Amino acid sequence: MLPDARALKYAVLHLQAATEVFLKARLQRDHWTLVFKNPATATRTAFDSGKIESNCTTEEAFTRLTRITGLALPDKALDAVKELAKVRNALQHYGLTAQANAVEKRAADVLNFLLPFVTDHLLPGLGNEQRADAERTLVLVRGRVHRIEPPPT
């Protein structure tokens, strides 16, 4: 059963936002300046006050994680994140213009990257209570990802 266009739109918008937050959370673990568009001009005052007016893009965050922090993230994952960003932009500005099952496939590709990313790179830095909450949520998400239908071939 296909979701309605509105539900799919907001699922993609929220997934794209979550992807950005997760990538930047991992960058911050290495150093808070890495979330700025230009880390050389970062100030702690701007960071602490939330006045980061021009922070790095999702694609830039991904690149910094591989080049600066040394994480071995697959190119396939970056491609999936880029494609989801394109879908998100189209949904935001034009509504659903692609087949719903193709949009779902893009979302599934990103989720298949994010689930192990969160497990491997974010959970280890959490306290016991936060980690337990996150693990419960991950169980729910993993249980539902397989329900996303691939596009017909």
Side-chain angles (χ1 to χ4, degrees):
M1 181 173 143
L2 292 176
D4 68 50
R6 185 175 190 281
L8 188 57
K9 173 183 177 177
Y10 286 100
V12 169
L13 293 177
H14 292 305
L15 180 59
Q16 180 66 24
T19 301
E20 184 174 330
V21 168
F22 289 151
L23 295 175
K24 289 179 181 180
R26 181 55 184 84
L27 278 175
Q28 285 182 42
R29 187 169 293 157
D30 275 37
H31 202 271
W32 59 269
T33 60
L34 294 175
V35 297
F36 282 77
K37 184 168 184 77
N38 183 356
T41 63
T43 66
R44 190 63 201 207
T45 302
F47 180 78
D48 289 343
S49 68
K51 294 181 181 175
I52 304 173
E53 292 181 26
S54 57
N55 51 353
C56 69
T57 65
T58 303
E59 186 176 340
E60 182 64 28
F62 195 100
T63 301
R64 289 177 188 186
L65 285 168
T66 57
R67 292 186 185 166
I68 297 172
T69 70
L71 292 184
L73 302 176
D75 290 338
K76 181 172 102 172
L78 177 57
D79 293 341
V81 169
K82 285 180 182 178
E83 287 301 314
L84 187 69
K86 289 178 190 173
V87 169
R88 176 225 160 296
N89 288 341
L91 285 169
Q92 176 94 13
H93 300 291
Y94 309 111
L96 185 62
T97 59
Q99 292 290 328
N101 54 3
V103 173
E104 287 182 329
K105 170 71 170 89
R106 298 237 189 299
D109 290 344
V110 171
L111 282 167
N112 286 326
F113 157 68
L114 280 182
L115 292 171
F117 178 84
V118 168
T119 300
D120 297 342
H121 302 292
L122 294 177
L123 290 185
L126 298 177
N128 290 339
E129 191 174 320
Q130 288 178 318
R131 184 181 177 114
D133 284 344
E135 286 173 341
R136 282 190 293 275
T137 301
L138 287 170
V139 167
L140 293 172
V141 173
R142 283 186 187 105
R144 293 184 175 128
V145 168
H146 75 279
R147 293 168 40 191
I148 299 175
E149 298 176 31
T153 55

